[in-house]
Each structure stands twice: as structure tokens, then as C-alpha cells.
Amino acid sequence: MAKRLSHEGVVHLKLVIAANGSIAELKLLMSSGYSSLDNAALEAVKKAAPFPDPQGYDRKDIALTIPLSYSLY
């Protein structure tokens, strides 16, 4: 649907990965301006879980800011 409507944009997400690789926190930091793209970005991250154990970074959990870009070609 987003492609048909020519929606493009960048979604910025905050992701906190817990020590067991699960998602401890996931939230939208900056909208693309289109709820369909924002929701797709959130769902993509949820589907990618569980993540590798972040303890290799000498911490219990790790926080990331993720920009996801949707561009039509």
C-alpha cells in the first residue's frame, strides 16, 4: 500500500536488547510521517528477535537507535 501511495521516509526507533536477547524496550523516536511505514518498522524489529546476547559488550543490555529508511526505486 505504501508503494502504491508513493510513501517514503525514515523511521527512527529505540531498541533495548536484554541480556537474553529479547526486546526489553522498543519505541518510535521519530516518525516517517506515515503510520504504515512506522508500524512496518516496528514489526520488522519484533520479527527479528531474539537477538544475539549483548553480554559480549560488557553490559546486561544494550540500547540502540535504529534509522530505517523506506525508499522507492
Side-chain angles (χ1 to χ4, degrees):
M1 181 173 149
K3 184 177 182 179
R4 198 169 2 108
L5 297 172
S6 298
H7 290 174
E8 294 183 307
V10 179
V11 180
H12 292 264
L13 303 175
K14 177 183 179 183
L15 170 64
V16 179
I17 302 171
N20 65 0
S22 67
I23 296 173
E25 181 181 354
L26 177 61
K27 70 178 185 177
L28 182 68
L29 292 178
M30 188 168 67
S31 173
S32 65
Y34 300 104
S35 61
S36 61
L37 298 182
D38 298 344
N39 292 333
L42 290 164
E43 286 303 311
V45 172
K46 288 177 187 176
K47 286 181 181 180
F51 298 96
D53 182 350
Q55 290 183 355
Y57 295 97
D58 296 326
R59 26 180 105 190
K60 287 185 179 181
D61 54 353
I62 189 165
L64 305 165
T65 300
I66 303 169
L68 288 163
S69 178
Y70 289 92
S71 300
L72 296 172
Y73 293 98

